[in-house]
Amino acid sequence: MRIDRVAFAAALARADINAKQLAELSGVSRVTITAVIISGEKDRKMMWSMVK
């Protein structure tokens, strides 16, 4: 399953909820949620560096 990381981060912002609160509500570890958000940033940076 693929997660649109940008949409996920935007949904968190719209809901005014942080990763810690989402972890508590969902039962998913805070580390997992943070990794999903941050790995999207790394992917974008890597792709831009390849384009330049």
Side-chain angles (χ1 to χ4, degrees):
M1 181 171 107
R2 295 192 60 131
I3 296 173
D4 183 347
R5 292 172 176 95
V6 174
F8 179 66
L12 287 176
R14 279 193 303 273
D16 194 29
I17 189 172
N18 60 32
K20 182 179 178 184
Q21 293 168 326
L22 181 61
E24 291 169 355
L25 292 170
S26 66
V28 176
S29 77
R30 192 175 73 210
V31 173
T32 301
I33 293 170
T34 303
V36 168
I37 296 169
I38 291 180
S39 66
E41 290 296 321
K42 290 179 184 175
D43 291 345
R44 278 193 293 281
K45 286 178 184 177
M46 182 183 68
M47 288 181 71
W48 277 112
S49 69
M50 293 169 63
V51 171
K52 292 180 182 180

